Amino acid sequence: MGSMADAGIDVLMVTQASSESSITVVVPENQGKKALGALQSTFELELSRSNVNSISLTDVPMAIVAIVGEGMAMNSGVSASFMSALAKANVNIRVIAQGSSERQVAVVVEGKDVSRALRSAHMAFTLSQTMLSVVILGGTGKLGSALIRQLNAQRDSLAKNLNFGVCVNAIASSSKMILGKNGACLATSRAGDMLEADDAQDLDMEALTAALEADVNPHRVIIDCTNSESVADHYEEWMSKGVNVISPGRKAGAGSLERYNAIREAQRANAVEWQYESSVGSALPILTTLQAVRQAVEQDFTENDIKEDLAGYDAALKIVILARELGLNISVEDVEVESLLPEELRNKEYTGTKEEVNAAILEDLKSLDEPMMERWKEAKSDDRLLRYKFVIDVPNGKCKCSLEAVDNSDTLYRLRNNENLVAFETSRYTTSPLIVKGAAAGPELSAAGMFADLLRLGRAFSTFQT
């Protein structure tokens, strides 16, 4: 320190490793080279004899963020709250120092992270309201539109009752996007109009990712309403940048196992959340007759391609998501699936608008009325009902979904209309399974599941406030 003082260097922070093998000195940026020269001159002999291995100056711009308060000495957990807030904001700490009075804790972070670090500290100690920066992909579709309606309806309640706000600063459709200038909140009630306006940009995932990275808000969330493979390919990159992801689609959760594991690793490494409960909660109606299929299509209970429902593919995706949560490394190809469609209909190509394609499929499905009615009558004669049922056999690593005739002792027997049911049979729930049951189909209910995921994130971020 004597050489620094002789050279007129202002020493801002000093830390030493417990092993006494290194010392870090923090000085003003404009004095960095002068400080380096002073130290190299002072330790010239030690450097030549390798008693001191090296003296270096980082070329990365750095900044100091400090919390100061009289009450810090009397309250435990203040430093933990500070460090946790920075970790959740994906801010890497390079140096830590605490005053002997216990009334100050200072950290050194990269200059590019200083705004995010400050905002996370302010939110952690309730100097400002917890705010979530939200990007909505697929914002003009049925699911995205339903979510935006729910956000608009609950915005005031979130601020008043849960003390966090939601700032939607980017919305995208399948071809256009609009970004809030410098991260400003968008008027979500006008999402459709804004995306059709002349100033809307062509959808550019790289530009969108750059805007996310530049956002200084520590709590950033992408809500993906697209169920797109190409969008799911970005999850790992977004999480590596500290962005949380909510995805009701099943492409990421049940797609490539390699991609799934990479996303999970990025999630763990960067302390972010991947919420996708709504990807399983949406129910599949039991489509056994042409009338049931037509009603499901009219009420938006089916997938965009209704053949995915009838072929069992969508159910298989949900099974894969649940099975992976249970520790099974499986892909959709590993699921034994009974399709309700004969092979010629599964492989048939349809052209035209969505309405024209659905109409053509419904017309072809008339050929299935008679055989399906026979299965229904056979089940009815034995006081059974037809249910499309999936089973995940964890001990044997087997998964299957099929149309089965169940009797009144089966939990699926009493399902109605658009209800969904999952029964958990475990070592603790043997004689009577743990049952989750309820209506779970259509865009409004799926959007409600996504909204619940967003609430969980908001509450989790708020827990760092003291």
Side-chain angles (χ1 to χ4, degrees), residues 70 95-96 99 115 151 164 215 259 338 374 382 431 462:
E70 188 67 28
V95 178
I96 303 173
S115 294
L151 280 174
F164 74 84
D215 189 350
R259 181 179 62 190
E338 178 189 356
E374 288 299 319
D382 292 332
T431 57
S462 297

Side-chain angles (χ1 to χ4, degrees), residues 20-175:
E20 301 183 7
S21 62
S22 66
I23 296 176
T24 301
V25 180
V26 180
V27 301
E29 185 176 8
N30 62 357
Q31 296 182 349
K33 291 182 178 179
K34 184 179 179 182
L36 178 62
L39 290 172
Q40 287 174 336
S41 176
T42 300
F43 292 98
E44 182 178 2
L45 180 60
E46 287 80 357
L47 286 166
S48 66
R49 294 176 176 175
S50 296
N51 292 332
V52 174
N53 290 334
S54 65
I55 302 173
S56 60
L57 173 69
T58 180
D59 56 359
V60 178
M62 297 288 174
I64 297 175
V65 178
I67 55 172
V68 182
E70 188 67 28
M72 290 175 60
M74 284 78 74
N75 293 281
S76 61
V78 175
S79 293
S81 296
F82 184 33
M83 303 305 161
S84 296
L86 294 177
K88 291 297 291 185
N90 206 39
V91 174
N92 187 35
I93 299 171
R94 304 293 291 270
V95 178
I96 303 173
Q98 181 174 351
S100 60
S101 66
E102 299 184 22
R103 288 168 173 79
Q104 173 181 323
V105 176
V107 299
V108 175
V109 302
E110 291 189 24
K112 65 181 179 62
D113 293 330
V114 66
S115 294
R116 189 174 298 132
L118 279 172
R119 292 192 64 171
S120 65
H122 285 173
M123 292 179 189
F125 297 101
T126 62
L127 299 177
S128 63
Q129 182 190 52
T130 298
M131 181 64 67
L132 276 61
S133 288
V134 176
V135 173
I136 300 178
L137 305 180
T140 56
K142 292 176 181 176
L143 186 55
S145 298
L147 174 65
I148 288 173
R149 286 195 298 272
Q150 293 180 21
L151 280 174
N152 291 337
Q154 296 294 325
R155 194 181 303 275
D156 292 340
S157 177
L158 294 178
K160 180 180 179 181
N161 299 321
L162 299 178
N163 195 35
F164 74 84
V166 176
C167 173
V168 179
N169 49 26
I171 303 176
S173 64
S174 59
S175 59

Side-chain angles (χ1 to χ4, degrees), residues 5 22 37 208 244 250 342 365 399 410 424 430 435:
S22 66
L208 184 66
N244 305 273
R250 289 172 278 280
L365 287 177
C399 301
D410 194 300
F424 297 87
T430 51
I435 294 175

Side-chain angles (χ1 to χ4, degrees), residues 251-269:
K251 299 300 184 184
S256 161
L257 186 59
E258 180 181 358
R259 181 179 62 190
Y260 174 85
N261 289 332
I263 293 172
R264 280 298 195 192
E265 180 57 33
Q267 179 191 2
R268 286 189 291 268

